[in-house]
Amino acid sequence: MNIVELAHRIRTLRLERRLTLEEVASRTGLTRSWLSKVENFRVTPSLPALSQICSALNVSMSDLVKGLDEKPPIALVRKDERQVVERNNSEKNTTVYESLAHKRPSRMMDPFLLTVPAGVAREEPLGHDGEEFLMVQQGMIDFEIDDQLLTLRAGDCLYFDSNLPHRIINSSKRTAIVLCVFLDSSG
């Protein structure tokens, strides 16, 4: 199942219903923090938890997951059709994630184009299941991974096990553009 699309659908439904994470947490008995991780595709909800979320959002599970296993052989996403995905945003982290393959619901890889404004960084390094590939398209970033700090410039690439705590830091005065491809090895 496509965890990114599932997370996007859950967040979209919550916002359409004008519910906060706290309200959904109250209705489900799940924590706000855990629900945020679901919406940011850091964790995949179990079936019982997904059922609770569906109940809180007043949507059937079948409607929520409909089409998530479809796999068209080709999925073309034009530049103006990219889908912005909310992920780990805060006052200090305003990185924009654009999904580059959202038209193929059931996929093994999730490619994103990240726009990282000058002076932006996620507050702390986080790890998750899978592997990632990064290629700096424009600008320069510092990449913190497993207590190492690597400087990457336009054209530089990095492939790593994403279970290692990691984060992008743009300490420069220019916006950086980074291609990120994520593979969830947990299935």
Side-chain angles (χ1 to χ4, degrees), residues 5-180:
E5 180 62 23
L6 177 64
H8 179 72
R9 287 180 184 184
I10 290 170
R11 184 176 195 284
T12 299
L13 285 168
R14 179 179 62 78
L15 293 175
E16 283 175 358
R17 285 154 175 74
R18 294 187 168 99
L19 295 171
T20 64
L21 282 170
E22 289 81 10
E23 289 169 324
V24 175
S26 174
R27 292 179 182 192
T28 61
L30 305 168
T31 68
R32 180 202 175 285
S33 170
W34 187 85
L35 288 166
S36 176
K37 288 177 183 175
V38 168
E39 288 189 3
N40 287 299
F41 48 95
R42 291 240 173 255
V43 298
T44 306
S46 65
L47 283 176
L50 193 57
S51 176
Q52 290 171 288
I53 292 168
C54 287
S55 178
L57 297 175
N58 196 27
V59 63
S60 71
M61 193 174 314
S62 62
D63 283 344
L64 182 65
V65 300
K66 184 178 181 178
L68 289 180
D69 289 331
E70 293 174 4
K71 195 175 215 173
I74 297 171
L76 174 63
V77 177
R78 301 274 184 202
K79 183 177 181 178
D80 62 345
E81 297 174 326
R82 293 178 187 164
Q83 188 175 73
V84 174
V85 177
E86 295 292 326
R87 182 154 197 206
N88 303 314
N89 283 17
S90 67
E91 285 184 27
K92 292 182 181 179
N93 183 17
T94 55
T95 299
V96 175
Y97 285 73
E98 292 178 280
S99 176
L100 304 177
H102 62 87
K103 289 187 177 180
R104 183 169 172 149
S106 183
R107 59 189 178 270
M108 296 182 71
M109 298 181 295
D110 274 312
F112 296 96
L113 194 62
L114 281 56
T115 302
V116 189
V120 164
R122 186 169 54 210
E123 285 79 4
E124 63 184 49
L126 297 173
H128 51 84
D129 288 337
E131 298 178 353
E132 280 187 52
F133 169 82
L134 299 177
M135 180 178 187
V136 178
Q137 302 289 300
Q138 171 186 308
M140 180 178 79
I141 61 165
D142 290 322
F143 191 75
E144 183 178 343
I145 183 164
D146 202 28
D147 296 326
Q148 295 180 61
L149 192 62
L150 307 170
T151 299
L152 304 173
R153 292 175 175 78
D156 290 348
C157 301
L158 185 63
Y159 191 101
F160 59 97
D161 289 331
S162 52
N163 63 322
L164 299 171
H166 59 278
R167 69 177 174 158
I168 291 175
I169 303 166
N170 184 354
S171 54
S172 76
K173 295 182 180 181
R174 292 183 53 211
T175 295
I177 307 292
V178 180
L179 173 66
C180 174

